Amino acid sequence: MTLGLVAPVRDGMSTGGRPPSQFALNPTGRVVIAADLGASHSTIAITDLAGSILRESREQLDIALGPEHVLSHMRDSAARLLELAGRDLADVIAVGIGLPGPVEFTTGRPSNPPIMPGWNGFDVPEWVHHHLHVPVHVENDVNIMAIGERALFFPEVDDVIFVKVATGIGAGIISGGRLQRGAQGTAGDIGHVRVERGAGTACPCGNMGCLEAIASGPAIAASLRGLGLDATSGSDVLDLVRQGNTLAIQAVRQAGRDIGEVLTTCISFINPSVIVIGGSMARAGEHLLAGVREVVYTRSTPLATEHLSIVQSQAGSNAAVIGAATLSIQHALSPEGIDSMIAA
Amino acid sequence: MTLGLVAPVRDGMSTGGRPPSQFALNPTGRVVIAADLGASHSTIAITDLAGSILRESREQLDIALGPEHVLSHMRDSAARLLELAGRDLADVIAVGIGLPGPVEFTTGRPSNPPIMPGWNGFDVPEWVHHHLHVPVHVENDVNIMAIGERALFFPEVDDVIFVKVATGIGAGIISGGRLQRGAQGTAGDIGHVRVERGAGTACPCGNMGCLEAIASGPAIAASLRGLGLDATSGSDVLDLVRQGNTLAIQAVRQAGRDIGEVLTTCISFINPSVIVIGGSMARAGEHLLAGVREVVYTRSTPLATEHLSIVQSQAGSNAAVIGAATLSIQHALSPEGIDSMIAA
């Protein structure tokens, strides 16, 4: 099996320190399949080993159609994209997949994802490996967005929090240069933290006053309907903001403040240097960020925010697919990944 | 220079994977000096390379006497303890020091520690290395307590938060098996997070409503004075609790609830499997823990707390010194540490 690696540059003997670098990489020699499978969309890309997108497709696709349907679609899309890129399956070194819910990270199986009926415990890596015969890495969408945003725009920054504000609210945490998944893979689940303004608002999770119940796209839309505006989704809220509707702008800014309330604690706790606000609601731009910044800078100690940047996602809708590619490339090119390819 | 290491067990050539293990360790061959320098105490220990304490001394010592005085005391105590243990300075492989304030972790220098006048920016590693001629590792006290507690009681657990409740309140975070220091080394600084019950209470930091301003030992004592009780310190509060004073017990339990309010967000954010409550106020035992547990379990989603234990520190006053020893041993026995010793 060829590896997309050229001959050894030097043959280093270990001195007990880090493994010597033994290969120069030819980044165009092999490719990966990266998939960002959202609640209602599917983005599939073929990238080279530097993470550059060679071909990409984006379609509406309901994750609730179930794993067999969605993964078959992914496989077929990937095959078409490979053909368009003049490659074939034998060039694929790995597959990286992002899913819109918690993933048990040792097995790559989704665990209790509320918006993914039929996926709970489904062996995604096994299915994909069975059909594509390469290593598969599955991760929740917020984590791959964090990895993608960092890979593209903050490669030298070791402490980055990516906050996705969309139908739900969640965070991907990179601390000390590593993705932090937590003990059960639920790290970053800030959508169900209770906030002051939420008192009295019921959340579908069963608790009262969750951040997500007042600051997600659907929650903002609901609050605007209460004011007599025509808004059924986060996308409607964004339209109203773009039209300059004052009530919509105020509601988005208030959502930013609520998110900022939770982030203030997270910032004191983990001391990041960059907070990236992404997800569809981040397209409301400065209005959302202004609310976040207002609360974070008012409530934090100077020490916690002295070197902190709070910025809008620049990777936008590509953050996830780039992150899925980056993740699978990192695994494939790890010493263990290369060993297993050599052995194959 | 002998290393406390015996001859190579096998001479492994790197395959590009992890460095092969090349040495068997003789844990009693060398020793480390571990120092837990608190606000008002100094604990010095000599341990072997397995982290077992060979000799230890504990004294009252005011950190505000300044670095030259405190570090000279540490050096002299260490020399006495080495003699008692039948060792000498040539046996010392490294020094680990915990300080009661933030430490700039790339340089090991204290940075703006409010209770450590004269220490700001002092080059602790340089001073110690100049006098003892071995590698020195400096870390804030909560971080070494987290490392020590984990080393002794949770060696297999990768996600542990150690919360110190004493004159101040802070956390040491081990996530993904690694100590998380954050971008500027201030991770775990939860004492200045704002809590609901704190509204209207000024904190010495300049903000209002900080956790530390209502839930630290001195803050609980102040609230009890307001109720006509004779309490000037956290230690007085503990005495009242031991005597079964109902007001003191209620105040400690309420402090636990306030701490639990902040921890609830931290738990959703980083998904630990163990929370250890330590520091002097943890000696109030179940009363403090009951308050923490009450709020955490009421406010969290079942997913966040399903596999979570909230326990009292078992290492107690030894957590810090064991952590300082563990930290310095880890560094000394890292591939880089062994390389540098071989080169010396």
Side-chain angles (χ1 to χ4, degrees):
Chain A
M1 189 173 196
T2 60
L3 296 177
L5 303 167
V6 300
V9 174
R10 64 186 178 88
D11 203 84
M13 234 186 78
S14 177
T15 58
R18 293 185 182 168
S21 53
Q22 293 180 302
F23 293 98
L25 187 66
N26 172 8
T28 61
R30 301 291 292 278
V31 298
V32 303
I33 299 171
D36 161 29
L37 305 176
S40 57
H41 75 267
S42 156
T43 303
I44 314 291
I46 307 297
T47 83
D48 64 21
L49 298 192
S52 300
I53 292 175
L54 305 176
R55 284 290 185 284
E56 185 181 25
S57 72
R58 176 179 290 259
E59 292 170 70
Q60 294 298 310
L61 186 71
D62 188 353
I63 196 90
L65 291 169
E68 293 269 358
H69 184 106
V70 171
L71 294 174
S72 297
H73 169 89
M74 179 195 81
R75 178 197 58 195
D76 298 343
S77 295
R80 267 197 309 279
L81 293 169
L82 282 168
E83 202 181 325
L84 288 169
R87 304 296 187 119
D88 63 38
L89 266 178
D91 295 331
V92 176
I93 206 170
V95 178
I97 299 175
L99 291 174
V103 172
E104 217 287 272
F105 74 90
T106 53
T107 65
R109 298 181 189 212
S111 61
N112 296 311
I115 60 167
M116 298 169 64
W119 287 79
N120 187 28
F122 185 84
D123 196 335
V124 177
E126 204 280 327
W127 192 100
V128 177
H129 190 265
H130 178 77
H131 287 83
L132 296 173
H133 314 292
V134 290
V136 186
H137 303 283
V138 185
E139 190 59 73
N140 84 56
D141 59 351
V142 190
N143 286 349
I144 59 168
M145 290 164 99
I147 292 170
E149 188 84 25
R150 180 190 182 217
L152 287 173
F153 299 104
F154 305 99
E156 307 297 321
V157 179
D158 278 345
D159 302 275
V160 179
I161 299 175
F162 185 99
V163 183
K164 179 189 174 195
V165 187
T167 308
I169 298 175
I173 307 163
I174 292 165
S175 181
R178 290 167 172 242
L179 181 68
Q180 301 299 326
R181 294 179 175 93
Q184 278 79 43
T186 68
D189 188 13
I190 59 172
H192 299 283
V193 169
R194 198 184 286 194
V195 290
E196 284 178 33
R197 200 173 66 88
T201 304
C203 180
C205 80
N207 268 346
M208 301 291 285
C210 296
L211 175 64
E212 210 166 281
I214 60 166
S216 66
I220 301 172
S223 75
L224 291 177
R225 283 200 302 282
L227 299 171
L229 292 176
D230 182 21
T232 57
S233 67
S235 163
D236 296 334
V237 174
L238 292 174
D239 288 343
L240 287 165
V241 167
R242 277 188 211 103
Q243 293 158 21
N245 182 290
T246 311
L247 292 174
I249 289 171
Q250 286 172 345
V252 165
R253 185 164 179 142
Q254 181 57 49
R257 290 191 194 102
D258 299 325
I259 294 164
E261 183 183 328
V262 174
L263 288 182
T264 300
T265 302
C266 301
I267 289 163
S268 289
F269 185 66
I270 206 78
N271 181 212
S273 46
V274 177
I275 303 250
V276 180
I277 308 291
S280 59
M281 295 309 293
R283 287 185 217 132
E286 282 302 314
H287 302 298
L288 188 67
L289 258 75
V292 173
R293 288 187 180 127
E294 177 189 323
V295 169
V296 168
Y297 288 109
T298 306
R299 293 206 174 187
S300 300
T301 59
L303 198 63
T305 53
E306 193 181 348
H307 302 284
L308 177 71
S309 303
I310 300 176
V311 300
Q312 191 171 353
S313 169
Q314 298 168 263
S317 56
N318 268 339
V321 80
I322 297 281
T326 304
L327 182 75
S328 61
I329 293 163
Q330 280 170 354
H331 280 271
L333 299 186
S334 68
E336 292 78 7
I338 289 179
D339 282 356
S340 76
M341 280 190 288
I342 290 169
Chain B
M1 189 172 196
T2 60
L3 296 176
L5 302 167
V6 300
V9 174
R10 62 186 181 89
D11 201 82
M13 233 186 79
S14 176
T15 59
R18 292 185 183 167
S21 53
Q22 292 180 302
F23 295 97
L25 186 66
N26 173 7
T28 60
R30 301 291 293 277
V31 298
V32 303
I33 298 170
D36 161 29
L37 305 175
S40 57
H41 75 268
S42 156
T43 304
I44 315 291
I46 308 297
T47 83
D48 65 21
L49 298 190
S52 300
I53 293 176
L54 305 177
R55 284 289 185 282
E56 185 181 24
S57 72
R58 177 178 290 257
E59 292 169 72
Q60 296 296 311
L61 186 71
D62 187 353
I63 196 91
L65 291 169
E68 293 269 358
H69 184 105
V70 171
L71 294 173
S72 297
H73 169 88
M74 179 195 80
R75 178 198 55 195
D76 298 344
S77 296
R80 266 196 311 278
L81 293 169
L82 282 168
E83 201 180 327
L84 288 171
R87 304 298 186 116
D88 63 36
L89 265 177
D91 295 331
V92 176
I93 206 170
V95 178
I97 300 175
L99 290 174
V103 172
E104 218 286 271
F105 75 90
T106 54
T107 65
R109 297 179 190 215
S111 61
N112 295 312
I115 60 165
M116 298 168 64
W119 287 79
N120 187 28
F122 185 84
D123 197 334
V124 177
E126 205 278 327
W127 192 99
V128 177
H129 190 265
H130 178 76
H131 288 82
L132 296 173
H133 314 292
V134 289
V136 185
H137 303 284
V138 185
E139 189 59 73
N140 83 57
D141 57 351
V142 190
N143 286 349
I144 58 167
M145 289 164 100
I147 292 171
E149 188 84 23
R150 181 191 182 217
L152 286 174
F153 299 104
F154 305 100
E156 307 298 320
V157 180
D158 279 346
D159 302 276
V160 179
I161 300 176
F162 184 99
V163 183
K164 179 191 174 192
V165 188
T167 308
I169 297 175
I173 307 163
I174 292 166
S175 180
R178 290 167 171 242
L179 181 68
Q180 302 298 326
R181 294 180 176 90
Q184 278 79 42
T186 68
D189 189 13
I190 59 173
H192 300 283
V193 169
R194 198 183 285 195
V195 289
E196 284 178 33
R197 199 173 65 88
T201 305
C203 181
C205 81
N207 268 346
M208 300 291 285
C210 296
L211 176 64
E212 209 166 283
I214 60 166
S216 66
I220 301 171
S223 76
L224 292 178
R225 283 199 302 279
L227 298 171
L229 292 176
D230 182 21
T232 57
S233 68
S235 163
D236 296 335
V237 175
L238 292 174
D239 287 343
L240 287 164
V241 168
R242 276 189 214 103
Q243 293 158 23
N245 183 290
T246 311
L247 292 174
I249 289 172
Q250 286 172 346
V252 165
R253 187 166 178 140
Q254 181 57 50
R257 290 191 193 103
D258 299 326
I259 295 164
E261 183 184 327
V262 175
L263 288 182
T264 300
T265 302
C266 302
I267 289 164
S268 288
F269 185 65
I270 206 76
N271 181 213
S273 46
V274 176
I275 304 251
V276 180
I277 309 291
S280 59
M281 295 309 293
R283 288 186 217 132
E286 282 303 313
H287 302 299
L288 187 68
L289 257 76
V292 173
R293 289 189 179 126
E294 176 189 324
V295 170
V296 168
Y297 288 110
T298 307
R299 292 206 175 186
S300 300
T301 58
L303 199 62
T305 53
E306 193 181 349
H307 303 284
L308 177 69
S309 303
I310 301 176
V311 299
Q312 192 172 353
S313 169
Q314 299 167 261
S317 57
N318 268 338
V321 80
I322 296 281
T326 304
L327 182 75
S328 61
I329 293 164
Q330 279 170 355
H331 280 270
L333 299 187
S334 68
E336 293 77 8
I338 289 179
D339 282 357
S340 75
M341 280 190 288
I342 290 168

